[in-house]
Amino acid sequence: MTVHRLATSVALLLAALAYFVPAVAGGSPVAYAACTTIAILAVMSYGADLILSYLGEVSLGHTIFWAAGGYAAALLSVNAGWSGLPTAAAAVVVAIVLAVALGLATLRTREFVFSLVTYAAAVVAMEIAFNWSFLGGSDGIVGIPPLTIAVGSWRLSASGNDQLWPIAWVVLMATLLFIHRFRHSRLGTSALMVQMNPDLATALGIDARKVRLGVFVASAPISALAGWLYAYQRAYVGPDMFETYFLVLMLTAIVIVGRRLLLGPLIGTALIIVQQTFFSIGGDGDKIVLGSVLAAILLLWPRGLVGLWTVLASRPRVHGR
Amino acid sequence: MTIDLEATGLSVRYGGNVAVDGVDLAVPTGRMVGMVGANGAGKSTLINALAGWSRGTPVVRGTVRLGGASMDGLSPHRRAAQGLVLVPEGKGIFSELTVMENLALVRPPADTTGRHLFSMEEIHELFPRLAERRHHKGGMLSGGERQMVAVSRALRAAPRVLLLDEPSAGLAPRLVYELLETMRKLVDRGLSLLLVEQNVRATLELVDELYLLERGKVVARGPAAAMKNDPRILEAYLGSLTA
Amino acid sequence: MNILQQLINGLVLGSGYALIAIGWTVLLGAARLVNFAHGQLYMLGAFVAWAVMTKLGVNYFLAVPIAVVALGLLGVGLQGLMLRPVMQQNLTSLMIVTLGFGYVFQGGAARLFGGDPERFVSPLQAAEIRIGEIWFTWQDVLTLVGTLLLFGALWLVLNRTRVGAVVRSVAEDPRLAQLFGINAALVYIGVFVFECAAVALGAGLVAPRSPILTSMGFDEVILTFVVVVLGGIGSVTGSLVAGFGLGLFTALFGALVSSAYTTAAAFFVLLAFLVLRPRGLAAR
Ligand SMILES: Nc1ncnc2c1ncn2[C@@H]1O[C@H](COP(=O)(O)OP(=O)(O)OP(=O)(O)O)[C@@H](O)[C@H]1O
Ligand SMILES: [Mg+2]
């Protein structure tokens, strides 16, 4: 109990400290932009993380939910004048509907067929976004108003990155809390069991398909909320939200530190965005860096940097023997 | 008497679980050595380790020598190429390939010194049924026919030492004797053979030497005639005989 | 609207789909391996041939074989790097690793060849054949004949030779194959090299139809995935049939319904199919 209390206090303290990171990092617009972007993209990655870490499958379709969140925010705020909370709710609903449909369609697929079908779905979604004038076609939707959140008489309107940061922070913390809860939930533990030992899971009466669908549907709103915030940050959405960049970023962020770690995707995203913001070697060069990191990690230390750490840490003991 | 296959201090671990523990073993040229033991005693683990092969991820310690040459660190396909040929327990042939294709997968070596090359004619003589079944896929054969193909392909590889892990599993009693007698004939022609068997009585009839494995350790070994009267064998396997 | 013309377009398109898919089919079926850099390898195949033609002045008919060899060599290197997950049959890792490789190729090619669309021209593209109302080019004929020949040869090798039996044995049970004296790692390298070389050949024959871009990665070949799955994963004959079927479908759908949504329509067919028959056409 006291250990639990201590852990909770430490977590809360860390969360509070995280809030001040951009201010401590100089408080410049660049610092706020980087931190907000890290928070948004990390949340996007957490959606895919649920699938990769807990189902052991590679979803190549999470850009759909990410874009769905963005398009929901853009359409409803620009055309209907909705404020932030209703657009967020709409983003979540749209993502869940899409995830149920895609989840049912892919229910019987595994491994690369699952990956390719989810990818194919993303290609279809992009083609639709690109061609359908309702979604702005190839030009996308411009002129998204500042993010306003109204609760009762309290109102908040955020336009720049420094104003969006508190909201990004809240979304990130809520996501972390959700993932933490998920890891200890029935669904989370069942998912792990289905991944590690499907026969045992079946013997224990776990319905693998239900679990897969459940995790898939739970993961979609996370990426969608990230897309929702991204739309406000850029004041624009377009078919570029389907780009492979986001896909590769999600996967790299997840594997770089190590799968099934609560803070893994956040730290991974931070490393990538810091490289691309402060140590960029040009767009194409950054692609080479991101792709190489992804491949190298899995080939050299399949368990991520944490695995590398264990290797290094255990070395002296081996020599000592 | 020369030794064809020799293992010293062989130990095999699966994670923290020691399945074979410091076994010394020798298969002399032209002899048939049997190995018996209860389920889970480590027989398969041991014979697989001799071939450098496994479906799991075991950690193997100790040395294996084939005709004096060290096999340590060699991958299973290299050992097979040098004449250390294993027919594993259970699935031993490809079900998507025909009998002919299964047999044609192995290529007899160029250098056959010390090895026993079997022509297709000899194999069809040993197992006439295979000639009729040659265009059937492995998956369409009966259990006994599969074992025949598995043994035949091992013979096509021109073994120096043949390792057989329960070749009679699932066979009718009459076929068990038939198969083991066929094996005995091959040994009499000069082949060296290590045989893991459940059927202790049949094994004792045919082998020259017998090892008894218990919990990964060799607890008794000796000429078949002597082992017949070993109290541990009598008690555990031939109990009904003395009762 | 000339139906006969659309049927011919469909056959031409379909032979291209089947040709680009064949490497994938063999890789998936014969080795149970995946390569998500397939699209970028297609792009590299086209750009290597283009670069050899424009920078070295080599003729098209020599440039394509050069690209095939170059990509084959690249395949040796890639497979060497991936040997561990390959031998462990760790598909999840392989999918992500090859996705990473693809991204590296895309960035690297953009640095090397620039980001502009380039014209990769085959002399046969301009040589048209007209019979009454319908027309096609000699390049179309070459692609169709090349595809049929390659599929025929591949079928013979896989089903009628010892090499084919070795490949099939490794596909079924790589561990058991080792006991037959087969070096499974070598077989995997061979299959992977075939995939890289075959996609380069596909690029050499198909890419001249339109301008080439270094960013034309996965999306360019994702339709061939429909071929691989519909044909029944790993079935050579199945993918030939599925390739032509898809070609006819896209040609007719594009002409009769809407050209903008052709890809989407093809994937809807695929999704419907997966719900009904998750293991493809060739599934028993
Ligand atoms: N792949 C594996 N991974 C982990 N442990 C294993 C593996 N294979 C065997 N073992 C363990 O090693 C021990 C010996 O097994 P082995 O298969 O060698 O026994 P055996 O004597 O051949 O039994 P049987 O007569 O039933 O064939 C057993 O305790 C078994 O659980
Ligand atoms: Mg056994």
Side-chain angles (χ1 to χ4, degrees):
Chain A
M1 194 63 210
T2 41
V3 177
H4 188 83
R5 275 252 191 88
L6 184 68
T8 313
S9 323
V10 171
L12 285 177
L13 186 69
L14 280 177
L17 284 179
Y19 183 79
F20 297 104
V21 166
V24 172
S28 63
V30 183
Y32 274 102
C35 287
T36 309
T37 306
I38 288 171
I40 292 174
L41 296 178
V43 173
M44 170 188 80
S45 305
Y46 275 109
D49 177 48
L50 279 195
I51 310 291
L52 184 58
S53 293
Y54 302 97
L55 284 186
E57 298 278 5
V58 184
S59 166
L60 301 181
H62 267 61
T63 47
I64 298 175
F65 310 128
W66 155 253
Y71 273 98
L75 277 176
L76 293 170
S77 62
V78 172
N79 297 347
W82 287 21
S83 73
L85 286 180
T87 55
V92 168
V93 170
V94 170
I96 288 178
V97 170
L98 290 173
V100 169
L102 189 55
L104 284 174
T106 56
L107 199 56
R108 294 207 278 173
T109 59
R110 293 278 179 287
E111 291 182 334
F112 56 86
V113 180
F114 173 83
S115 302
L116 284 167
V117 173
T118 48
Y119 190 82
V123 173
V124 172
M126 185 182 77
E127 195 162 289
I128 293 172
F130 199 86
N131 290 302
W132 196 11
S133 54
F134 173 69
L135 295 177
S138 57
D139 296 335
I141 299 169
V142 291
I144 297 173
L147 172 55
T148 51
I149 289 179
V151 179
S153 60
W154 180 80
R155 252 181 97 80
L156 173 89
S157 178
S159 54
N161 277 310
D162 51 337
Q163 291 173 354
L164 280 171
W165 164 247
I167 299 169
W169 177 82
V170 170
V171 173
L172 178 63
M173 292 308 140
T175 304
L176 286 174
L177 187 64
F178 179 85
I179 302 279
H180 175 73
R181 284 280 178 84
F182 171 84
R183 285 153 60 99
H184 299 284
S185 71
R186 250 185 85 89
L187 186 61
T189 46
S190 313
L192 264 187
M193 207 178 311
V194 168
Q195 180 192 345
M196 302 291 178
N197 196 339
D199 297 333
L200 180 64
T202 319
L204 290 177
I206 295 174
D207 183 346
R209 288 189 188 172
K210 249 189 210 157
V211 169
R212 290 169 63 91
L213 188 62
V215 176
F216 196 72
V217 172
S219 75
I222 303 175
S223 295
L225 277 179
W228 166 81
L229 198 51
Y230 187 66
Y232 289 106
Q233 188 198 26
R234 282 204 312 175
Y236 159 75
V237 298
D240 61 346
M241 283 184 85
F242 290 99
E243 279 203 358
T244 326
Y245 168 73
F246 295 109
L247 208 56
V248 176
L249 190 138
M250 284 184 218
L251 294 173
T252 313
I254 297 166
V255 302
I256 207 169
V257 183
R259 271 169 262 183
R260 287 196 285 280
L261 294 174
L262 180 61
L263 294 181
L266 174 59
I267 299 171
T269 311
L271 288 173
I272 296 165
I273 299 303
V274 164
Q275 185 268 320
Q276 290 176 355
T277 313
F278 302 104
F279 306 97
S280 173
I281 52 170
D284 297 322
D286 288 348
K287 277 185 188 164
I288 300 179
V289 171
L290 190 57
S292 318
V293 167
L294 181 57
I297 287 278
L298 282 176
L299 291 175
L300 300 175
W301 311 290
R303 284 160 56 216
L305 292 178
V306 169
L308 175 63
W309 171 251
T310 348
V311 171
L312 290 179
S314 65
R315 210 160 258 176
R317 255 180 284 150
V318 174
H319 283 298
R321 240 193 276 164
Chain B
M1 188 168 64
T2 53
I3 303 294
D4 249 353
L5 178 70
E6 186 176 26
T8 33
L10 203 62
S11 296
V12 188
R13 264 184 315 115
Y14 294 104
N17 172 20
V18 179
V20 170
D21 193 0
V23 167
D24 296 326
L25 172 147
V27 182
T29 308
R31 291 300 165 89
M32 183 161 176
V33 176
M35 178 168 331
V36 294
N39 292 122
K43 306 180 296 293
S44 298
T45 304
L46 173 58
I47 203 168
N48 288 347
L50 292 173
W53 186 81
S54 176
R55 287 199 184 271
T57 47
V59 181
V60 181
R61 291 258 174 90
T63 59
V64 177
R65 303 178 80 79
L66 178 71
S70 171
M71 295 283 113
D72 300 331
L74 280 192
S75 53
H77 72 268
R78 299 295 278 293
R79 297 191 196 200
Q82 304 213 7
L84 187 53
V85 181
L86 167 71
V87 176
E89 185 176 18
K91 182 176 188 280
I93 61 165
F94 296 98
S95 41
E96 297 290 321
L97 272 56
T98 65
V99 170
M100 275 309 287
E101 284 175 331
N102 266 292
L103 295 182
L105 276 183
V106 290
R107 270 186 303 198
D111 177 15
T112 54
T113 38
R115 303 183 52 170
H116 304 273
L117 189 57
F118 293 84
S119 67
M120 283 310 289
E121 286 73 34
E122 285 173 292
I123 282 172
H124 285 153
E125 218 169 281
L126 287 175
F127 304 112
R129 226 171 320 195
L130 293 189
E132 301 157 26
R133 294 271 186 272
R134 82 181 138 234
H135 295 300
H136 289 219
K137 284 202 172 171
M140 288 156 43
L141 302 180
S142 78
E145 288 166 340
R146 276 179 224 199
Q147 281 307 348
M148 291 174 199
V149 178
V151 171
S152 304
R153 86 71 202 164
L155 295 179
R156 281 297 283 160
R160 175 189 274 268
V161 176
L162 184 57
L163 308 172
L164 296 180
D165 192 352
E166 298 195 25
S168 65
L171 296 195
R174 200 178 53 80
L175 283 177
V176 174
Y177 271 95
E178 216 172 89
L179 185 75
L180 294 183
E181 266 165 11
T182 309
M183 292 300 117
R184 181 71 232 184
K185 270 185 234 155
L186 299 180
V187 171
D188 292 338
R189 281 162 53 182
L191 184 69
S192 314
L193 178 67
L194 176 63
L195 173 75
V196 167
E197 255 302 327
Q198 292 283 1
N199 190 329
V200 176
R201 201 163 299 153
T203 310
L204 272 171
E205 293 295 314
L206 293 165
V207 299
D208 300 302
E209 213 184 327
L210 190 76
Y211 284 68
L212 174 62
L213 208 62
E214 251 171 43
R215 291 197 202 136
K217 289 199 167 82
V218 175
V219 292
R221 60 177 284 192
M227 290 295 277
K228 256 180 214 165
N229 301 317
D230 188 291
R232 277 161 296 202
I233 298 267
L234 282 174
E235 186 189 333
Y237 300 97
L238 305 176
S240 57
L241 207 71
T242 49
Chain C
M1 229 307 298
N2 185 335
I3 281 290
L4 191 60
Q5 178 69 55
Q6 292 308 334
L7 290 180
I8 287 181
N9 292 354
L11 287 182
V12 169
L13 275 177
S15 63
Y17 291 146
L19 185 59
I20 297 169
I22 188 60
W24 243 17
T25 298
V26 173
L27 192 69
L28 275 169
R32 285 210 20 91
L33 295 181
V34 279
N35 178 11
F36 280 180
H38 193 72
Q40 280 81 17
L41 290 171
Y42 173 86
M43 175 273 292
L44 279 183
F47 267 93
V48 168
W50 167 82
V52 170
M53 280 171 77
T54 50
K55 306 274 148 77
L56 305 179
V58 171
N59 147 326
Y60 169 81
F61 297 101
L62 194 57
V64 172
I66 290 177
V68 170
V69 172
L71 273 266
L73 291 177
L74 179 65
V76 177
L78 287 180
Q79 188 64 0
L81 289 174
M82 295 191 296
L83 212 52
R84 184 161 67 173
V86 164
M87 291 308 283
Q88 292 170 348
Q89 296 264 299
N90 185 342
L91 282 190
T92 311
S93 268
L94 281 174
M95 288 193 278
I96 305 178
V97 167
T98 50
L99 212 63
F101 281 144
Y103 212 55
V104 172
F105 294 155
Q106 195 174 328
R111 285 221 148 174
L112 211 59
F113 303 117
D116 299 327
E118 301 289 353
R119 278 168 42 78
F120 169 39
V121 198
S122 158
L124 297 182
Q125 196 68 27
E128 291 181 7
I129 304 167
R130 286 183 182 278
I131 305 167
E133 291 230 314
I134 59 170
W135 70 277
F136 46 91
T137 68
W138 277 106
Q139 183 75 15
D140 297 339
V141 177
L142 178 68
T143 311
L144 186 67
V145 173
T147 303
L148 290 175
L149 285 180
L150 183 66
F151 269 79
L154 186 68
W155 189 89
L156 281 178
V157 169
L158 275 179
N159 292 300
R160 289 285 177 269
T161 66
R162 182 178 172 274
V163 170
V166 166
V167 172
R168 282 181 290 135
S169 76
V170 171
E172 182 184 325
D173 190 343
R175 293 274 170 108
L176 183 60
Q178 294 182 309
L179 290 183
F180 282 59
I182 293 165
N183 185 348
L186 213 57
V187 174
Y188 283 132
I189 291 182
V191 172
F192 200 77
V193 167
F194 172 79
E195 190 228 350
C196 293
V199 79
L201 178 66
L205 294 182
V206 175
R209 286 180 197 164
S210 49
I212 55 173
L213 272 165
T214 52
S215 60
M216 69 180 184
F218 212 34
D219 295 349
E220 197 73 11
V221 301
I222 186 72
L223 260 187
T224 62
F225 157 61
V226 180
V227 175
V228 174
V229 173
L230 284 192
I233 298 195
S235 161
V236 172
T237 356
S239 33
L240 188 64
V241 174
F244 282 118
L246 181 69
L248 292 170
F249 175 82
T250 46
L252 293 175
F253 188 91
L256 300 173
V257 187
S258 148
S259 60
Y261 289 107
T262 330
T263 313
F267 284 128
F268 274 116
V269 173
L270 174 76
L271 283 182
F273 205 87
L274 280 173
V275 174
L276 298 174
R277 280 193 86 149
R279 300 189 53 208
L281 277 179
R284 269 149 282 173

